[in-house]
């Protein structure tokens, strides 16, 4: 009994440490995608690009090509990790070895791949921007608009992740259920919910697309990052009419639950007035 308790505590500790690492990586990712590029453009005078250099010269520049090669390698590392560990044969093999920590290991390696990508990402400063907002008054207002929309998108992303069972996505619930002998958390969900999660594991496509593309200045390396992640997100999802119908039913039921307390209070106020 004592050994089971110690093992459960060890699993919980590993899961909580993984949660802290993923949370820190998520905060760094927000800064990497949003705040750092917008900060460089907040006055409209960006140093991310060299518009005076023609494209024909920039694309033959060895420093530009070197940066692009490094960035392509980093993106390949992230997409390979994210796809390989989600592949069914690999997932089953890891499940047999790691057990309840399988999802935790997946999230940890994802966060680690993101940290490597952000740490070694090479900005391309020797080529022109694909677009750049430089003329007043948009040189001031457009970066502020981008900042506001990015903040809104990240708030929506965090809210959606909470709705989509955030502890299960990070592997915390798997460890908790394992300690209580309840099995896999996904087995307690309905078949339609399991089907939806198999098709839509990352429900943040539209918001992340806005964050990737809406910037005051789009450099060559940012185009590479936004294009690769957008294509990867588009290929990773396979929603169909059944999933859409299930989402509509769930949204309708949530709206009814939110409106019931208000209706109940209005009914009580009406009865009080009648009395």
């Amino acid at each position: 009994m004592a050994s089971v308790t110690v093992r459960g505590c060890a699993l919980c500790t590993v899961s909580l440490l993984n949660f802290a690492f993923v949370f820190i990586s998520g905060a760094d990712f927000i800064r990497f995608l949003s705040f750092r590029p917008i900060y460089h453009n907040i006055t409209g005078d960006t140093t991310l690009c060299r518009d005076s250099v023609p494209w024909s010269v920039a694309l033959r520049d060895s420093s530009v090509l070197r940066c692009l090669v490094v960035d392509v390698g980093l993106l390949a590392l992230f997409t390979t990790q994210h796809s390989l560990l989600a592949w069914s044969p690999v997932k089953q093999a890891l499940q047999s070895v790691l057990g309840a920590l399988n999802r935790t290991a997946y999230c940890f390696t994802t966060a680690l791949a993101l940290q490597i990508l952000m740490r070694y990402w090479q900005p391309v400063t020797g080529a022109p921007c694909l677009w750049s907002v430089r003329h007043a008054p948009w040189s001031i207002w457009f970066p502020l608009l981008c900042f506001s929309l990015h903040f809104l998108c990240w708030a929506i992303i965090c809210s959606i992740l909470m709705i989509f069972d955030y502890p299960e996505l990070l592997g915390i619930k798997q460890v908790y259920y394992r300690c209580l002998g309840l099995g896999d958390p996904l087995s307690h969900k309905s078949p339609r919910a399991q089907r939806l999660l198999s098709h839509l594991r990352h429900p943040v496509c539209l918001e992340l697309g806005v964050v990737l593309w809406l910037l005051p200045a789009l450099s060559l390396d940012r185009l590479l990052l936004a294009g690769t992640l957008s294509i990867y997100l588009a290929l990773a999802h396979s929603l169909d009419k059944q999933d859409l119908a299930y989402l509509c039913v769930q949204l309708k039921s949530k709206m009814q639950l939110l409106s019931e307390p208000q209706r109940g209070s209005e009914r009580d106020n009406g009865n009080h007035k009648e009395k």
Side-chain angles (χ1 to χ4, degrees), residues 10 19 21 27 53 77 91 130 135 143 146 176-177 201 226 245 248 259:
F19 170 76
F21 181 59
V53 178
L77 171 66
K91 185 188 294 185
L130 280 84
H135 302 290
C146 292
Y176 176 72
Y177 275 44
R201 199 58 167 165
C248 292
S259 62

Side-chain angles (χ1 to χ4, degrees), residues 221-242:
D221 63 288
R222 182 60 178 232
L223 174 66
L224 177 63
L225 177 69
T228 303
L229 293 183
S230 298
I231 294 173
Y232 184 76
L233 284 172
L235 295 176
H237 295 85
S238 55
L239 291 178
D240 53 22
K241 293 183 178 180
Q242 296 184 31

Side-chain angles (χ1 to χ4, degrees), residues 65-131:
L65 297 177
R66 189 183 311 111
C67 292
L68 290 177
V69 169
V70 172
D71 294 342
V72 168
L74 293 171
L75 287 169
L77 171 66
F78 173 75
T79 54
T80 301
Q81 175 276 328
H82 216 57
S83 301
L84 184 62
L85 269 67
W87 189 33
S88 294
V90 177
K91 185 188 294 185
Q92 294 173 1
L94 292 176
Q95 182 68 36
S96 62
V97 176
L98 299 175
L101 290 177
N102 184 28
R103 184 69 187 178
T104 300
Y106 180 76
C107 294
F108 174 80
T109 53
T110 298
L112 181 62
L114 277 178
Q115 287 287 354
I116 295 173
L117 184 147
M118 294 182 291
R119 173 65 178 82
Y120 295 103
W121 186 262
Q122 300 295 316
V124 178
T125 58
C129 283
L130 280 84
W131 70 68

